[in-house]
Amino acid sequence: MEPKNSSWQEKAAAKRESVLSKIQPKWRLSPTDLDRAANRRDLTGGYVEEFLAPEETSIISLDSVALVEGIKQGKLCSVRVTESFCKAAAIAHQIDNCLHEIFFEQALQRASYLDEYYAKNETTVGPLHGLPISLKDQFHVKGVDTTMGYVGWIGSNLGIKDPSQAHKIESQITSELLSLGAVLYCKTSLPQTLLLGETKNNIIGETLNPNNQNLSCGGSSGGEGALQALRGSTLGVGTDIGGSVRIPAAFNGIFSLKPTPERVSYRDVANNNPGENTYRSTVGFLSTSIDGLNLILKSVLSTNPWLRDPAVVPIPFRHDVFDAYSSRGSLETGKPLKFGVLWSDNVVGLHPPILRGLHMTVDAVRKSGHKVVDWTPPPQKDAKRVHVSFLFADGAHDIHAQLDLSGEPLISDLEETLALRPPIGLLEYQDLTLQGLEYEAKYSDYWNSTADEDGQIVDAVIMPVAPHAAVIPGKYYHTAYTEVLNLLNYSVVVIPITKADKNIDTFDHSYTPLNDIDEKNWKAYDPEIYHGGPVGLQIVGRKFEEEKVLAIAKIVCAALKKASKN
């Protein structure tokens, strides 16, 4: 730990070196390899595999369910799986700055224990036995820092009130994952304050998009997205208060689940302005597969988290709901689904890759026999205005209290929006609460009205995550496509659709911007720069409909796969 009188810059530099020092020398990349990585557009796939043995490549190519099944059947061992993902994560961090904490030795000891347990008992500890799971740097792990991107919390755990508890605290979900047999091995990068759709802070600098280094990996669970794009993880835990598990999933070509808050435990998780709980942040999950999301939600809920966290609603995983909606993927056995599709929020229009992704998805589900109708809900701009007011309700006092611990400044992206100001008054806060409730009621009424014409209510909504593919850093101008769903507390799955293609997604010179922000967004589109940027979409259900949206998202994925073959 750095002396207290050292500058914030010195503390940050020492932390960076400390993290790198935890990478085994044999896993270190040469200066030549690092230069080569810095000059590549796409870091995914073959580039990372150059540094792995064939067996390691084979292991990290498997998704979560295949890994736990392989371990359960004795075809894989926890140590070998863990070592492979630790090595891949080490490479990922060296080429893309995606980790805040490395605890590979702790992970390998844990994996060794799990292998011994399996050998002795001929059974697994639980459904996640031996599976490496990465964590966003908000989740406390014993013996490990939780800085949440703040220099002032280096050497401790953000949010603890008693300094003697440093490195002794453990988030409830961390305990649950360990009880289920998971192996925890690293914590991933996030933006300073969490309130940014990119990943930048004064400790690690910036995490870029491994698919295209001209673009951002998203935020605030951006390190998770980047790590999974580089196959350094197949399953991770993040949080979402404005799009923070959905944006990185869409930007990195992976999957995510944003549950309704209170479905999963947030107890003892570091957070920004934790006293604002009118519209709460939620724990969410990111994975390289839709089945990985199903696996972790089902597993975590099997621990009955509501018994330890009174904020969690006591709803076990509903297999009957998941199975009922899954059966509707086949028109021979189930009733066709009805989808709403949001083509625009009429504030900021969609770049060509996103519009093409929507058309691909709509065409695929229609060809599979499902219904699609246009979705024209109450204006999203109203929801965004109310939601942002809550995010900034304390006048950024909590954020500046964390900055003052070290004297570090706000990163340049946030200097204006998060300048210290007086908090809003109680009466204004209460009025905003009523406005939020009114918007929720209007949206619910609109959803119910979709049954008026044909007697069938919309099952799920297909909508953009953002008006662009993975974004050019500094050009994320409009976040309403995700924020509206935080105000509504809806359940959402993000699925990957395609990638921007400069030969198809050409600039539309005939487009007339709707307003100044739309004009800025439209002018930011450059087919050459965006080429290869992932495109993801949201599959939206209502409150506490996680099982339903997981099942429907899987049906949509199957429809897209079938359409691509045809």
Side-chain angles (χ1 to χ4, degrees), residues 185-391:
Y185 62 116
C186 63
K187 295 213 274 181
T188 51
S189 58
L190 43 72
Q192 182 194 62
T193 78
L194 303 179
L195 301 179
L196 187 67
E198 301 178 36
T199 295
K200 307 174 183 177
N201 63 57
N202 288 324
I203 299 176
I204 56 107
E206 184 172 14
T207 308
L208 292 172
N209 195 309
N211 298 275
N212 177 346
Q213 290 198 89
N214 295 311
L215 307 176
S216 170
C217 67
S220 64
S221 308
E224 276 298 323
L227 181 66
Q228 292 190 28
L230 291 165
R231 299 301 299 195
S233 173
T234 66
L235 191 56
V237 187
T239 62
D240 192 310
I241 197 171
S244 295
V245 299
R246 289 165 289 154
I247 295 164
F251 284 13
N252 290 281
I254 61 171
F255 300 82
S256 72
L257 168 67
K258 183 202 84 67
T260 296
E262 288 88 50
R263 187 80 202 264
V264 182
S265 175
Y266 216 104
R267 185 172 180 178
D268 292 326
V269 175
N271 198 12
N272 169 59
N273 192 16
E276 192 289 289
N277 67 351
T278 303
Y279 290 103
R280 298 174 76 158
S281 174
T282 182
V283 170
F285 308 108
L286 302 94
S287 182
T288 54
S289 66
I290 191 84
D291 290 336
L293 299 177
N294 192 37
L295 171 68
I296 194 166
L297 179 68
K298 188 162 47 177
S299 298
V300 167
L301 293 179
S302 74
T303 70
N304 299 336
W306 50 86
L307 297 179
R308 295 171 299 283
D309 184 348
V312 177
V313 176
I315 306 175
F317 188 89
R318 294 162 294 189
H319 294 270
D320 56 336
V321 174
F322 182 81
D323 292 343
Y325 278 95
S326 295
S327 71
R328 292 172 68 180
S330 169
L331 300 188
E332 295 175 2
T333 58
K335 178 182 178 183
L337 293 166
K338 183 177 177 180
F339 291 95
V341 57
L342 182 74
W343 296 102
S344 173
D345 68 356
N346 296 317
V347 176
V348 173
L350 307 179
H351 282 183
I354 304 300
L355 198 55
R356 179 168 61 86
L358 272 176
H359 280 291
M360 288 172 62
T361 307
V362 168
D363 290 347
V365 296
R366 275 189 172 141
K367 285 176 182 175
S368 293
H370 302 291
K371 300 179 183 179
V372 180
V373 297
D374 289 342
W375 189 253
T376 54
Q380 288 192 168
K381 67 181 188 330
D382 296 342
K384 177 179 168 60
R385 176 184 55 77
V386 173
H387 185 255
V388 167
S389 297
F390 280 103
L391 293 185

Side-chain angles (χ1 to χ4, degrees), residues 166-178:
H167 298 163
K168 296 177 184 176
I169 188 172
E170 188 171 82
S171 302
Q172 178 173 316
I173 196 161
T174 304
S175 304
E176 290 165 357
L177 293 172
L178 291 171

